[in-house]
């Protein structure tokens, strides 16, 4: 069933679209070119209260994943990195909301909602990305709580975060059941931030290695009951996965916007490039794929808002993430093609869309892993 936006959601869309066009778009190229963290964009999102969007009403938000997706789409249409600032705040939020105690929620959620606190989420290690069960970071029981040792890579926002939600194994066992999440605050002795990745896309939001050397955390810094927290937190990622899809829709729409403008202005063989049938069909195919992705993302987000969970949500969210990030890559590739050599030049913005689109097919579970989830759920039915 097509998703109809409520009046409130339409207002969010119009408002964020205007802000994106007027205040975010002019900064996008410089953020990508310098690779510097866009503090001014963070301050803007904070000032506008956008961090709170998907938070439950009692934590100052709208409680609407669909509203959050709409905002992300509009920002992603003009600037991948500014959209990323919202997303990177929302992964630890989802983990805390799903697995956190009342005390942890009181301590961290209001700050995440109003932008006073920044956070990061750290699961990936050098030898294990998709294969989460192979992480080696260990949390050994001690009198005071836990002693954490290990290292992580690709921890996005680590250098700016007030706290990081970190996965570590407890006990002697080695399977996913032994993994738990811990909140580790900046400045905790033994917790250090390593090298910043030099990335081809997503360049404005830093990703770092992080190290834990005899980091002592208290029992109340673990999320959920020992042995159960991992499942709860990972399931919470299904509920935030439509957001990655929304970024794909926004990116693809932005690439199409730029390509259409270019082919309408560019002349070849005595006529406007946009007047060639072959070009028009490319534009039509790009639009068809974007609209299909938008519907998949909105309906997955609506399912989250309607309380759908478990296998049904996992499948819907994986389909939305996979289709929209594949669409972003395909549309951005075609958009570069339509620009000709200008698509390769750094003087034009389109190759930024191409580089950022590739990131979307890899993060938050690669698209192969999404296809594994989808097929597993279908075959098991
Ligand atoms: C910009 C960026 C930001 C990131 N931010 C974070 C972050 O904040 N926190 C965090 O924890 N991680 C983060 N990551 C890491 C990301 O989650 C992992 O890169 C991702 O999960 C894939 O892991 P990997 O790179 O180790 O690839 P691998 O798991 O080693 O996979 C290599 C290839 O094999 C494929 N593959 C693996 N297993 C299967 C299978 N069973 N079936 C089919 N194909 C398979 C993969 O799809 C991929 O194509 C980030 C990554 C990037 C690029």
């Amino acid at each position: 069933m097509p998703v109809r936006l409520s009046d409130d959601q339409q207002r969010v869309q119009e408002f964020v679209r205007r802000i994106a066009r007027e205040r975010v778009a002019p900064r996008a190229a410089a953020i990508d070119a310098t690779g510097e963290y866009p503090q001014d964009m963070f301050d803007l999102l904070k000032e506008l209260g956008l961090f709170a969007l998907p938070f439950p009403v009692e934590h100052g938000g709208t409680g609407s994943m669909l509203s959050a997706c709409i905002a992300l789409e509009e920002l992603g249409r003009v600037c991948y990195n500014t959209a990323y600032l919202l997303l990177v705040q929302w992964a630890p939020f989802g983990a805390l909301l799903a697995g956190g105690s009342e005390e942890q929620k009181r301590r961290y959620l209001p700050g995440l909602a109003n932008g006073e606190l920044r956070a990061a989420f750290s699961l990936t290690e050098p030898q294990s990305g998709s294969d989460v069960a192979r992480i080696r970071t260990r949390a050994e029981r001690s009198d005071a709580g836990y002693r954490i040792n290990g290292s992580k890579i690709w921890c996005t926002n680590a250098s700016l975060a007030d706290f990081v939600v970190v996965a570590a194994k407890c006990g002697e066992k080695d399977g996913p059941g032994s993994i738990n999440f811990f909140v580790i605050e900046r400045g905790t002795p033994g917790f250090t931030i390593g090298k910043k990745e030099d990335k081809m896309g997503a360049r404005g939001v830093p990703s770092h290695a992080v190290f834990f050397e005899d980091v002592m955390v208290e029992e109340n810094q673990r999320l959920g009951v020992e042995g159960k927290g991992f499942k709860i937190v990972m399931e919470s990622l299904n509920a935030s996965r439509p957001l990655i899809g929304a970024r794909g829709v926004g990116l693809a729409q932005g690439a199409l916007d730029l390509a259409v403008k270019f082919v309408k202005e560019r002349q070849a063989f005595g006529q406007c490039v946009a007047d060639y049938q072959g070009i028009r069909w490319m534009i039509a195919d790009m639009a068809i794929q974007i609209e299909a992705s938008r519907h998949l993302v909105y309906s997955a987000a609506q399912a989250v808002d309607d309380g759908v969970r478990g296998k049904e949500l996992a499948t819907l969210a994986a389909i939305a993430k996979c289709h929209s990030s594949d669409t972003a890559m395909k549309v951005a590739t075609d958009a570069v093609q339509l620009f000709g050599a200008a698509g390769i030049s750094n003087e034009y913005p389109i190759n930024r869309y191409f580089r950022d689109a590739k990131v979307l097919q890899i993060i938050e579970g690669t698209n192969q892993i999404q296809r594994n989830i989808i097929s597993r759920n279908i075959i098991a039915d």
Side-chain angles (χ1 to χ4, degrees), residues 270-287:
Q271 70 180 66
C272 179
V273 169
D275 289 338
Y276 288 105
Q277 179 101 77
I279 300 293
R280 286 176 167 257
W281 284 0
M282 276 178 81
I283 297 285
D285 282 340
M286 290 155 92

Side-chain angles (χ1 to χ4, degrees), residues 213-268:
E213 203 180 334
D214 290 330
V215 173
M216 304 303 296
V217 296
E218 292 180 14
E219 174 111 22
N220 64 9
Q221 287 171 262
R222 191 190 61 233
L223 298 187
V225 175
E226 189 177 306
K228 300 261 192 305
F230 179 73
K231 189 162 182 279
I232 295 169
V233 169
M234 293 312 278
E235 280 179 5
S236 82
L237 295 183
N238 289 333
S240 59
R241 196 152 283 136
L243 294 165
I244 310 285
R247 271 206 312 176
V249 175
L251 189 153
Q253 185 64 57
L256 177 61
D257 296 344
L258 292 170
V260 168
K261 183 169 182 296
F262 185 86
V263 295
K264 280 164 76 178
E265 288 166 1
R266 182 78 179 166
Q267 297 282 317

Side-chain angles (χ1 to χ4, degrees), residues 197-208:
E197 287 294 336
D198 185 6
K199 298 182 281 194
M200 79 170 187
R203 288 172 46 74
V205 186
S207 304
H208 289 266

Side-chain angles (χ1 to χ4, degrees), residues 80 84 88 120-132 152-157 199 201-202 205 207 359 361-369 372:
Y80 183 96
Y84 206 178
V88 84
F121 184 83
S122 194
L123 181 55
T124 305
E125 298 187 2
Q127 78 293 339
S128 64
S130 308
D131 189 0
V132 172
K152 303 275 179 188
I153 52 172
W154 289 107
C155 181
T156 302
N157 228 24
K199 298 182 281 194
V205 186
S207 304
V359 177
Q361 293 182 302
I362 292 170
I363 57 166
E364 281 260 342
T366 67
N367 282 5
Q368 286 100 323
I369 296 300
N372 287 349

Side-chain angles (χ1 to χ4, degrees), residues 27-50:
R27 285 279 290 122
I31 296 168
D32 174 67
T34 61
E36 283 168 14
Y37 182 79
Q39 181 60 43
D40 56 339
M41 293 294 107
F42 183 90
D43 294 340
L44 176 69
L45 301 177
K46 183 176 168 185
E47 176 196 320
L48 299 175
L50 292 181

Side-chain angles (χ1 to χ4, degrees), residues 61-118:
T62 60
S64 167
M65 183 55 65
L66 182 51
S67 297
C69 283
I70 292 163
L72 214 51
E73 178 185 337
E74 293 303 328
L75 292 170
R77 191 170 172 175
V78 299
C79 180
Y80 183 96
N81 289 300
T82 301
Y84 206 178
L85 295 178
L86 286 177
L87 197 77
V88 84
Q89 195 86 339
W90 289 340
F93 145 71
L96 280 159
L97 194 66
S101 63
E102 284 314 308
E103 189 202 329
Q104 287 164 338
K105 288 179 192 168
R106 262 197 311 278
R107 185 173 169 90
Y108 299 113
L109 291 187
L112 287 180
N114 65 23
E116 287 301 321
L117 289 178
R118 280 183 256 221

